[in-house]
Amino acid sequence: MNEPIEDDITEEDVKDAFREVIDLERKRRKEQKEAVELARPALDRLCEVMMGCSSQCYKVRALLYSIWNGQQTHLNELLAVDWEIKKDLCAVFLAFGFDDTEFNAEGAPIRNKDGDFYYDTMKDAITQVGRWEWFCEAHVDPDKS
């Protein structure tokens, strides 16, 4: 039978560990918000690319659609786009999924939908340039392929 382990952990140790976790989460959240700030104009530029007629607009659509609905696409599509487009795609990938919900002192959620970078953000940006229906045409029905 195992002997009980004596803990030398003090209340101050617990408080220090808790503060460390909170500080780490604040730092992570700040980085995420900075990523969103870069991704918003990047998404706008990618929407402009999708207005074009080159092969790059189809590659951008495929990559964005894959994070939109999880449809598989080859990541090596990134190799065939211009450097600026590649940077914009990476910015969007990094920020996508950010939920700007915070919590008050009582633990109740405070939603800042304008700070989110998620499905609505992408749909709104693509709709604004009139390409939403075209974007959705990227869907491949697995039963038909």
Side-chain angles (χ1 to χ4, degrees), residues 63 66 72-81 89-90 93:
L63 288 161
S66 73
Q72 292 182 358
T73 192
H74 297 283
L75 191 54
N76 68 0
E77 296 286 1
L78 277 172
L79 301 175
V81 296
L89 282 164
C90 289
F93 294 159

Side-chain angles (χ1 to χ4, degrees), residues 28-41:
R28 182 176 297 130
R29 189 159 183 80
K30 180 179 182 275
E31 289 175 357
Q32 289 173 318
K33 286 184 176 191
E34 290 169 353
V36 168
E37 287 178 26
L38 293 174
R40 288 188 189 286

Side-chain angles (χ1 to χ4, degrees), residues 83-126:
W83 177 249
E84 295 300 320
I85 295 171
K86 194 178 297 187
K87 289 190 318 183
D88 285 345
L89 282 164
C90 289
V92 169
F93 294 159
L94 186 61
F96 192 78
F98 179 66
D99 177 350
D100 198 17
T101 300
E102 296 187 7
F103 298 88
N104 66 17
E106 292 79 38
I110 303 169
R111 184 77 192 270
N112 178 13
K113 192 171 190 294
D114 292 336
D116 290 353
F117 196 85
Y118 218 32
Y119 295 104
D120 288 345
T121 309
M122 189 178 296
K123 183 177 182 180
D124 292 348
I126 296 168

Side-chain angles (χ1 to χ4, degrees), residues 1-3 16 45 60 63 66 75 86 95 115 118 134 136 142:
M1 188 160 175
N2 293 338
E3 295 291 319
D16 288 344
R45 289 188 296 270
V60 168
L63 288 161
S66 73
L75 191 54
K86 194 178 297 187
Y118 218 32
W134 176 82
C136 292

Side-chain angles (χ1 to χ4, degrees), residues 11-81:
E11 187 175 324
E12 193 59 35
D13 291 335
V14 172
K15 287 180 182 178
D16 288 344
F18 185 70
R19 271 189 231 106
E20 187 177 319
V21 168
I22 295 298
D23 289 345
L24 180 61
E25 187 56 33
R26 282 186 181 131
K27 179 182 180 228
R28 182 176 297 130
R29 189 159 183 80
K30 180 179 182 275
E31 289 175 357
Q32 289 173 318
K33 286 184 176 191
E34 290 169 353
V36 168
E37 287 178 26
L38 293 174
R40 288 188 189 286
L43 180 58
D44 291 341
R45 289 188 296 270
L46 293 172
C47 288
E48 291 298 320
V49 169
M50 288 193 293
M51 299 284 295
C53 297
S54 71
S55 65
Q56 294 197 38
C57 68
Y58 292 95
K59 293 177 185 322
V60 168
R61 177 178 72 171
L63 288 161
L64 292 179
Y65 195 76
S66 73
I67 63 172
W68 171 260
N69 82 337
Q71 179 171 292
Q72 292 182 358
T73 192
H74 297 283
L75 191 54
N76 68 0
E77 296 286 1
L78 277 172
L79 301 175
V81 296

